[in-house]
């Protein structure tokens, strides 16, 4: 399943809004993140996507680094614009840490990830931008706006417990 572990990221926008559930109103946010990560993350969207965007280097081009072990490092179509991907991931846990050790982390649960944009980069990495949507309380909005002002954060995303259990049940059924 899609995940990021302590990835440096930039918060591009925090949008505060009201969600309506019948007569109930709840506070929600959409946070836009931009991060760079290895191109293996593309396998979570489609097993063929990485092969469609990257190729092995030819003779004379930079070879893959031994510590990375990734062989698809050259962009196949350099003129390709960033790709919008329609995937949505629900039920995620999100942790936002500051770059300094003294910063208190922000935790959000039951987060929906959507509006992914993928831009391949030379060397086998991708720039990934996406929105994370969650219900929050006013204190969390204040923390998120402070993170927006800092701009640079450290992002951790992982499937929530309910997501993991349903994935395990799906694996057992297969």
């Amino acid at each position: 399943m899609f995940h990021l572990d302590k990835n440096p990221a930039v918060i591009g926008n925090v949008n505060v809004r009201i969600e309506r559930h019948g007569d109930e109103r709840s506070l929600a946010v959409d946070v836009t993140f931009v991060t760079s990560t290895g191109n293996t993350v593309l396998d979570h969207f489609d097993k063929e996507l990485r092969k469609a965007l990257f190729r092995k280097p030819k003779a004379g081009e930079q070879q893959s680094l031994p510590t990375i072990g990734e062989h698809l490092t050259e962009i196949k179509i350099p003129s390709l614009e960033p790709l919008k991907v329609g995937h949505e991931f629900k039920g995620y846990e999100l942790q936002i840490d500051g770059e300094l050790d003294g910063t208190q982390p922000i935790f959000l649960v039951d987060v929906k990830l959507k509006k992914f944009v993928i831009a391949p980069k030379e060397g086998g990495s991708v720039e990934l931008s996406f929105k994370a949507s969650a219900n929050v309380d006013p204190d969390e909005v204040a923390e998120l706006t402070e993170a927006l002002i800092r701009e640079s954060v450290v992002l951790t995303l992982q499937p929530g417990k309910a997501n993991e259990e349903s994935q395990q049940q799906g694996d057992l059924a297969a």
Side-chain angles (χ1 to χ4, degrees):
M1 296 202 69
F2 176 72
H3 68 280
L4 296 174
D5 188 32
K6 298 185 180 181
N7 255 54
V10 172
I11 296 179
N13 187 33
V14 175
N15 180 46
V16 181
R17 59 187 170 75
I18 298 294
E19 272 188 0
R20 299 178 194 277
H21 303 280
D23 290 339
E24 289 185 37
R25 295 166 40 108
S26 60
L27 194 58
V29 294
D30 296 315
V31 184
T32 303
F33 291 99
V34 178
T35 188
S36 184
T37 189
N39 67 13
T40 56
V41 76
L42 299 176
D43 294 343
H44 299 290
F45 296 95
D46 187 294
K47 294 290 183 197
E48 298 299 316
L49 187 56
R50 184 165 43 121
K51 294 174 193 167
L53 296 177
F54 291 91
R55 63 174 173 80
K56 289 182 180 180
K58 295 177 184 171
E61 294 178 326
Q62 174 153 352
Q63 301 299 308
S64 61
L65 301 174
T67 56
I68 295 175
E70 174 53 47
H71 303 292
L72 302 175
T73 57
E74 296 296 316
I75 298 175
K76 271 189 179 177
I77 309 168
S79 61
L80 189 67
E81 292 287 323
L83 299 171
K84 293 181 180 179
V85 182
H87 286 64
E88 289 188 355
F89 300 101
K90 296 180 181 179
Y92 271 69
E93 295 175 355
L94 180 144
Q95 178 178 334
I96 302 170
D97 290 298
E99 291 182 312
L100 302 175
D101 288 338
T103 310
Q104 289 287 43
I106 301 168
F107 295 98
L108 299 177
V109 295
D110 198 22
V111 177
K112 180 179 182 181
L113 307 174
K114 59 186 180 181
K115 297 193 177 185
F116 286 89
V117 177
I118 298 166
K121 300 293 180 190
E122 286 296 332
S125 64
V126 293
E127 182 179 275
L128 191 64
S129 64
F130 60 93
K131 285 188 191 245
S133 300
N135 287 20
V136 293
D137 61 42
D139 291 338
E140 290 170 323
V141 172
E143 292 171 352
L144 287 167
T145 56
E146 287 177 15
L148 175 64
I149 292 168
R150 283 194 315 264
E151 191 176 41
S152 295
V153 297
V154 178
L155 180 64
T156 299
L157 281 170
Q158 61 188 17
K161 301 295 182 220
N163 248 354
E164 289 176 3
E165 289 171 8
S166 67
Q167 178 69 25
Q168 288 174 354
Q169 288 174 355
D171 290 345
L172 292 175

